[in-house]
Amino acid sequence: MKKTTALFKALAHDTRLKILNLLFDGEVCVCRIMEILELPQSTASRHLGILKNAGLVEDRREGIWVHYSLAQVQTTVARQILDVLEAHLGGIDECRHERERLPKTRGQQKLCS
């Protein structure tokens, strides 16, 4: 029950939903998340930490930068919720525009600064 409660608490904030929306297409550097969502580093880190603790995202370090991606969720209910969430957020203009701001391939990404 505690895992289910943590899952729903993690999903209960618009910023965390927007972060998940960016991750549906794959791994994203924290600098891009901050840029696209116009978040200070501390706010982005706090929300990413909550998502990570809920088992929804995982991270990978590359030099000084941290890249985030969706975790391989362990429960059927979490997978189903993420599937529904991806479809739902894709229909919201604001979320669609934020995803469009992501580079389509690694080669198009400017260096993080």
Side-chain angles (χ1 to χ4, degrees):
M1 188 65 156
K2 288 185 181 197
K3 287 184 180 184
T4 302
T5 302
L7 171 68
F8 281 101
K9 283 183 179 181
L11 297 173
H13 196 283
D14 60 338
T15 299
R16 292 191 287 274
L17 293 177
K18 288 179 176 190
I19 290 170
L20 289 173
N21 177 60
L22 295 178
L23 300 178
F24 285 130
D25 287 333
E27 184 178 78
V28 179
C29 180
V30 68
C31 67
R32 294 289 162 260
I33 293 169
M34 291 166 42
E35 176 186 335
I36 292 169
L37 300 181
E38 300 178 356
L39 298 173
Q41 185 274 329
S42 59
T43 301
S45 292
R46 180 170 39 89
H47 287 296
L48 285 160
I50 291 168
L51 291 169
K52 186 176 177 183
N53 288 337
L56 294 172
V57 302
E58 55 192 21
D59 61 1
R60 174 184 69 81
R61 285 200 170 279
E62 186 175 307
I64 63 170
W65 298 108
V66 181
H67 299 262
Y68 287 88
S69 59
L70 291 177
Q72 296 295 328
V73 292
Q74 302 300 315
T75 65
T76 303
V77 70
R79 181 71 261 157
Q80 291 172 333
I81 289 169
L82 288 177
D83 290 344
V84 169
L85 191 58
E86 181 177 11
H88 175 72
L89 293 177
I92 298 173
D93 287 341
E94 180 180 4
C95 291
R96 194 169 43 253
H97 293 305
E98 289 167 350
R99 275 174 93 171
E100 288 170 357
R101 293 185 59 198
L102 285 169
K104 299 302 178 211
T105 65
R106 269 194 169 288
Q108 291 177 307
Q109 291 183 7
K110 64 182 181 180
L111 294 177
C112 299
S113 56

